[in-house]
């Protein structure tokens, strides 16, 4: 034990310091903050402030920033399990013996994940370069989706001009529908997704405009995430 972890009591005995209880308190606070952030971001989206998360967690704003110095770090912690499930959905879709069923089932699953959590709906349409674990899971899911596309095309059921960028556009559109309809029409997203899946199926009914370049979509996702974190910084981290 490090000598700094001990002190001498009044009777000369060596007594453990309060360092270990403090570590336990810190871990409890961290868990409370993550649970509160899931509730707040799931309900209000990623524009919800760090201060509102602190209030939900019942901790002070200083405690919040000791545990999570930036909003990006908090988002990475909150949505780590969702991103794991996102990547797992790809693996399950690839295991489907019917390539079209695997492809469409994956799209329906991911869009349903967006519908279940407004914050996650936004996460899937943004990029957070500083959150390496989160971005690694996104990349894993993306590679799996490329395999789903290839299999569905090889089966003759997916139109040849479909690209992975079309999924990004669908997720952006779905996030927008979820935000616009909210509790008023909570299942409206299902119609959008059904329409889109039908439009993806071969044979193509007609030509499409060119999709946006990968770099352009990435910049759009990056800009959206920067808007979220810049908004927090503009509030001094203590917005309502």
């Amino acid at each position: 034990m490090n000598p700094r972890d001990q002190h001498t009591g009044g009777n000369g005995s060596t007594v453990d310091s309060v360092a270990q209880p403090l570590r336990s308190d810190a871990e409890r606070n961290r868990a409370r903050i993550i649970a509160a952030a899931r509730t707040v971001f799931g309900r209000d989206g990623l524009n919800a402030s760090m201060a509102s998360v602190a209030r939900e967690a019942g901790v002070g704003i200083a405690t919040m920033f000791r545990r999570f110095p930036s909003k990006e770090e908090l988002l990475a912690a909150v949505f780590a399990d969702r991103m794991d499930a996102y990547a797992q959905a790809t693996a399950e879709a690839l295991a489907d013996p019917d390539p079209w069923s695997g492809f469409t089932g994956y799209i329906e699953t991911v869009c349903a994940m967006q519908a279940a959590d407004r914050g996650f709906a936004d996460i899937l349409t943004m990029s957070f370069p500083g959150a390496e674990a989160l971005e690694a899971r996104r990349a894993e899911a993306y590679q799996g989706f490329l395999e789903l596309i290839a299999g569905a095309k090889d089966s003759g059921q997916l139109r040849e001009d479909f690209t992975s960028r079309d999924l990004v556009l669908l997720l952006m559109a779905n996030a927008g529908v979820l935000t616009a309809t909210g509790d008023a029409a909570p299942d409206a997203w299902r119609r959008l997704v059904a329409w889109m899946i039908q439009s993806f199926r071969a044979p193509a009914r007609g030509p499409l405009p060119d999709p946006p370049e990968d770099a352009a979509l990435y910049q759009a996702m990056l800009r959206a995430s920067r808007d979220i974190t810049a908004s927090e910084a503009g509030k001094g981290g203590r917005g309502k």
Side-chain angles (χ1 to χ4, degrees):
M1 179 180 288
N2 191 305
R4 290 176 294 181
D5 292 336
Q6 298 180 333
H7 69 272
T8 302
N11 61 2
S13 62
T14 299
V15 181
D16 285 344
S17 75
V18 294
Q20 184 60 42
L22 283 176
R23 285 196 294 269
S24 297
D25 287 347
E27 184 55 38
R28 282 195 295 272
N29 282 338
R30 185 178 190 277
R32 288 170 64 187
I33 290 168
I34 290 175
R38 283 176 175 161
T39 297
V40 172
F41 291 144
R43 180 187 66 219
D44 303 330
L46 301 190
N47 279 313
S49 69
M50 297 278 274
S52 64
V53 173
R55 285 193 297 272
E56 180 76 20
V59 302
I61 196 68
T63 297
M64 163 73 76
F65 281 99
R66 278 198 299 272
R67 301 282 75 82
F68 299 99
S70 72
K71 193 170 189 178
E72 186 174 81
E73 291 177 60
L74 177 60
L75 292 172
V78 168
F79 293 104
D81 60 340
R82 268 71 165 179
M83 291 303 291
D84 287 346
Y86 177 49
Q88 180 61 30
T90 318
E92 292 175 1
L94 286 169
D96 193 316
D98 180 346
W100 179 250
S101 174
F103 173 81
T104 59
Y106 174 75
I107 290 176
E108 290 167 347
T109 295
V110 173
C111 289
M113 291 172 69
Q114 285 187 299
D117 188 323
R118 184 177 168 188
F120 190 64
D122 292 338
I123 283 286
L124 287 183
T125 62
M126 299 179 185
S127 182
F128 298 88
E132 295 182 3
L134 186 151
E135 291 302 316
R137 295 303 264 168
R138 189 196 305 278
E140 180 182 337
Y142 176 76
Q143 290 302 315
F145 188 61
L146 293 181
E147 294 182 47
L148 287 172
I149 292 173
K153 285 184 177 180
D154 288 345
S155 74
Q157 298 176 88
L158 177 63
R159 54 189 295 165
E160 283 297 323
D161 54 358
F162 181 91
T163 80
S164 60
R165 287 161 283 180
D166 292 313
L167 175 64
V168 178
L169 293 175
L170 171 56
L171 295 178
M172 288 178 170
N174 196 41
V177 167
L178 291 167
T179 298
T181 56
D183 294 336
D187 291 326
W189 67 274
R190 296 183 185 278
R191 187 170 178 86
L192 168 70
V193 173
W195 271 114
M196 296 305 296
I197 286 175
Q198 290 185 34
S199 73
F200 297 156
R201 188 154 199 167
R205 270 60 175 181
L208 295 171
D210 290 337
E213 296 293 332
D214 284 330
L217 271 184
Y218 176 74
Q219 286 302 315
M221 295 171 70
L222 191 60
R223 181 178 61 200
S225 66
R226 285 174 174 167
D227 286 346
I228 290 293
T229 53
S231 173
E232 189 69 39
K235 300 169 184 174
R238 292 166 170 77
K240 296 181 179 180

